[in-house]
Amino acid sequence: MQISTFRAKSMQQAIDMIRRELGPDATVLHTRECHGSLLGRIFMGRYFEVAASKDARVPARMVTPTEATTVATSVDEHSDCTTGNEFDYRNRYRNDFRTDIGTELDELQFMSHQLRQQSANSDIHNLSETLFEIYTDLIESDVEECIAQELLHHLRSCAQVDLSDPFALRAELLRKIEGDIQVTGPLQVSHGKGKVVALVGPTGVGKTTTIAKLAANYRLRENKSVGLITVDTYRIAAVEQLRTYANIIDLPMEVVSTPREMREAIGRMKSLDLILMDTAGRSPRDQVRIQELKSMLAEANPSEVHVVLSAVSGAKSLTTTAEKFASVGTTGIIVTKLDEATGLGNLLSVRKVSQLPISYLTDGQNVPDDIQVATPRRVAELTLGIQAL
């Protein structure tokens, strides 16, 4: 006896498939609703698996979806008419079902254990009203829970701080975060040294606009000779966007697409004070493209490589991006789109994981404005959502 298995998103779809493939006289031998793992059920949705045969020695009729399980039971009752293969087939499905249920129960028990353990370790339920308010403020500012708990532990361990005084607690919190932040200060540019600074990062984070802001500030306000190089030949109108800025500021600009062109462009600009390089956006998960970027940067031999991160991204996304781009030799972080972010606590996660200092902060599209040199105090204030105490 030949048994065929059909899978569909609904029982009706499965029955329709059996009718088309095996004919109206086919017999349903077994049905089951498949969920996979607990996470798979959440993200992948449900589907049904139906086993059927057109020559099974049981009452041959097609069933409706509501009768499917009844038919399967009926087949079991006719076990004396079935072969050993049919019996083994049904047993296998029963065992698979039990395995699936056992796996889901194990996952639920593990998740429950993790939640109980986190609750026991956090001691959030033991916080005073003032500390709890600070904790919720940190969470609302997009500070990760584990970092928020570390900050609370610091506050509770400070003997000189009155735990009932919200102003004293926030002042200590600001001091603590400020002490943990590292910054690079502004770009140090010397006359005629041809310092090369590259900006890297994913698409859409504002690399080109940031390049224009830096170029305008060093050319117009610092009176430095500045050149622009772009390798962003992938994005539509990216070259023209930077060329427009270069024409307005009156800067030389080179467009390169190969390592050899990069060497030649750097050679033509080596007498300038500062060379700013705009690179194409790369997905942090595309290691092939990141390696291509690494090869291009090797020809430019930049003094500094700043990874540009958007403040509107989540903490996990930011830390992943910083980690993946570390392979190209990043030396600092530029944080953009501060004006669009609802909270900046995610900066603490990036700083903790990457250990890179922060160089610049941008909060708008205006060139040459809307950019500032990062300071520990300013980053700490932005992280906590305050301006001053």
Side-chain angles (χ1 to χ4, degrees), residues 166-219:
F167 296 102
L169 287 172
R170 293 181 189 278
E172 175 59 27
L173 195 59
L174 182 65
R175 188 199 64 78
K176 166 63 175 173
I177 295 176
E178 183 179 354
D180 291 340
I181 297 296
Q182 291 187 0
V183 297
T184 65
L187 299 177
Q188 301 298 317
V189 180
S190 302
H191 178 69
K193 295 296 185 179
K195 180 174 184 175
V196 180
V197 177
L199 269 60
V200 301
T203 58
V205 295
K207 292 188 297 297
T208 302
T209 304
T210 303
I211 285 274
K213 292 176 181 178
L214 290 171
N217 275 280
Y218 277 91
R219 178 68 184 92

Side-chain angles (χ1 to χ4, degrees), residues 311-330:
V312 300
S313 300
K316 184 173 180 58
S317 176
L318 292 180
T319 53
T320 299
T321 300
E323 285 181 312
K324 297 298 184 181
F325 278 93
S327 63
V328 304
T330 50

Side-chain angles (χ1 to χ4, degrees), residues 137-374:
D137 287 345
L138 289 171
I139 298 300
E140 289 177 0
S141 296
D142 289 341
V143 177
E144 285 192 289
E145 184 178 351
C146 59
I147 296 179
Q149 292 179 16
E150 290 176 4
L151 293 173
L152 286 182
H153 178 73
H154 170 77
L155 292 178
R156 297 171 79 173
S157 64
C158 289
Q160 70 274 20
V161 178
D162 184 356
L163 297 182
S164 63
D165 185 346
F167 296 102
L169 287 172
R170 293 181 189 278
E172 175 59 27
L173 195 59
L174 182 65
R175 188 199 64 78
K176 166 63 175 173
I177 295 176
E178 183 179 354
D180 291 340
I181 297 296
Q182 291 187 0
V183 297
T184 65
L187 299 177
Q188 301 298 317
V189 180
S190 302
H191 178 69
K193 295 296 185 179
K195 180 174 184 175
V196 180
V197 177
L199 269 60
V200 301
T203 58
V205 295
K207 292 188 297 297
T208 302
T209 304
T210 303
I211 285 274
K213 292 176 181 178
L214 290 171
N217 275 280
Y218 277 91
R219 178 68 184 92
L220 303 177
R221 295 175 177 172
E222 302 292 332
N223 197 28
K224 300 295 184 180
S225 58
V226 181
L228 302 179
I229 294 178
T230 179
V231 295
D232 190 1
T233 57
Y234 296 88
R235 186 165 55 92
I236 297 176
V239 173
E240 291 307 314
Q241 180 185 1
L242 192 61
R243 194 185 301 279
T244 299
Y245 287 130
N247 291 336
I248 293 173
I249 310 171
D250 190 22
L251 302 177
M253 174 179 160
E254 297 274 356
V255 180
V256 303
S257 57
T258 66
R260 178 178 178 179
E261 292 178 355
M262 176 63 73
R263 288 196 303 271
E264 294 172 351
I266 293 293
R268 287 190 290 269
M269 291 187 174
K270 63 182 180 180
S271 61
L272 300 177
D273 300 334
L274 176 63
I275 304 170
L276 295 171
M277 184 191 308
D278 188 18
T279 63
R282 301 301 191 198
S283 167
R285 296 178 176 83
D286 192 343
Q287 289 302 307
V288 174
R289 294 294 188 185
I290 290 181
Q291 287 303 313
E292 290 178 357
L293 174 61
K294 185 177 180 180
S295 299
M296 190 69 77
L297 290 174
E299 295 297 334
N301 192 25
S303 301
E304 299 180 24
V305 179
H306 297 257
V307 58
V308 182
L309 303 177
S310 170
V312 300
S313 300
K316 184 173 180 58
S317 176
L318 292 180
T319 53
T320 299
T321 300
E323 285 181 312
K324 297 298 184 181
F325 278 93
S327 63
V328 304
T330 50
T331 59
I333 296 173
I334 295 177
V335 184
T336 62
K337 302 187 179 182
L338 299 182
D339 54 318
E340 300 178 21
T342 57
L344 297 173
N346 47 18
L347 298 184
L348 296 182
S349 302
V350 178
R351 173 72 189 99
K352 182 177 181 180
V353 172
S354 71
Q355 298 295 309
L356 288 174
I358 301 174
S359 54
Y360 288 91
L361 308 170
T362 75
D363 56 0
Q365 298 295 314
N366 295 321
V367 178
D369 301 318
D370 297 339
I371 186 171
Q372 57 184 300
V373 178

